[in-house]
Amino acid sequence: MSSSSSSSSSSSSASPSFSLLGLAPVLPVVVIEDVADAVPLARALVAGGLPAIEVTLRTPVALEALRAIAGEVPDAVVGAGTVVTPGQVKECVAAGARFLVSPGWTELLLEAMQGSGVPFLPGVSTTSEVVALLERGVREMKFFPAQAAGGTAYLRSLAGPLPQARFCPTGGIGVDSAPDYLALPNVGCVGGSWMIPADAVAARDWARVEGLAREAAALRSA
């Protein structure tokens, strides 16, 4: 997650105090349909060793779920994903988001994230986007959609010419492919949802979620 801001952004605040890329090898990407599931799900993930939790803004209850986790699960580092507008940046931070993740970025969105006071991962899928962010002082990024955009081969190719860029690849990554990504020198963590299977959430089988989270937390770079 970016700890640097563009020198041209007058609204940027002090550098955030942590990097999401160093908290755990896997960032759970969570879609909450029922706000009642938010707190027990977060507790299961944290108990399994995955403290950073990305709540995506894909459902009407996402902000309420984020607020509940922020207020009731103190050991969670909860953030917001699928952030695509400056307005959402403000709403998410107000709801308690400790980090922001976007699938892509524009100048307006980047400025809002830089001025938010929390770490952020802007999404990229091309070399030019990476270079443009590096010009603006951003060195930690989301690589999305990872599998569709070239996977491990693409990221490995970026490591030589752009070693200062580090990534959280997300999109199409599962338990079998995650170790290959984590073995790359420019990958700090991966994003995924395989530890939150839909049937486990529907059954509120939080013990199963915790077990899968523990397996994911055990993944380490080679």
Side-chain angles (χ1 to χ4, degrees):
M1 206 166 295
S2 174
S3 60
S4 304
S5 297
S6 170
S7 60
S8 63
S9 176
S10 60
S11 61
S12 298
S13 58
S15 295
S17 59
F18 71 93
S19 164
L20 180 65
L21 300 187
L23 292 180
V26 179
L27 171 63
V29 179
V30 179
V31 180
I32 306 270
E33 301 286 352
D34 185 344
V35 72
D37 294 334
V39 168
L41 175 57
R43 286 176 176 157
L45 291 171
V46 171
L50 299 180
I53 302 170
E54 176 188 336
V55 176
T56 65
L57 302 183
R58 300 181 190 177
T59 67
V61 301
L63 280 176
E64 186 180 355
L66 194 158
R67 189 176 295 109
I69 295 171
E72 299 182 45
V73 192
D75 291 334
V77 180
V78 65
T82 323
V83 177
V84 295
T85 70
Q88 288 177 331
V89 169
K90 293 181 179 179
E91 291 176 338
C92 292
V93 173
R98 295 178 59 187
F99 65 86
L100 305 168
V101 182
S102 67
W105 64 278
T106 65
E107 293 291 350
L108 286 176
L109 180 58
L110 183 65
E111 182 179 358
M113 290 192 294
Q114 286 179 318
S116 68
V118 301
F120 58 92
L121 287 175
V124 298
S125 60
T126 69
T127 306
S128 294
E129 290 173 312
V130 175
V131 172
L133 285 176
L134 290 173
E135 281 185 351
R136 291 156 175 80
V138 179
R139 297 185 176 181
E140 297 184 355
M141 312 167 193
K142 172 181 177 174
F143 180 58
F144 177 82
Q147 289 288 88
T152 55
Y154 194 98
L155 286 172
R156 187 179 295 109
S157 297
L158 291 180
L162 301 171
Q164 64 273 50
R166 297 184 72 234
F167 302 94
C168 173
T170 304
I173 299 175
V175 64
D176 294 328
S177 58
D180 294 332
Y181 281 94
L182 291 168
L184 298 176
N186 55 352
V187 170
C189 66
V190 300
S193 57
W194 72 85
M195 75 296 302
I196 318 165
D199 59 339
V201 175
R204 291 183 164 84
D205 187 351
W206 309 126
R208 181 182 171 199
V209 172
E210 180 180 338
L212 292 171
R214 186 170 289 109
E215 293 175 3
L219 296 173
R220 290 294 182 264
S221 300

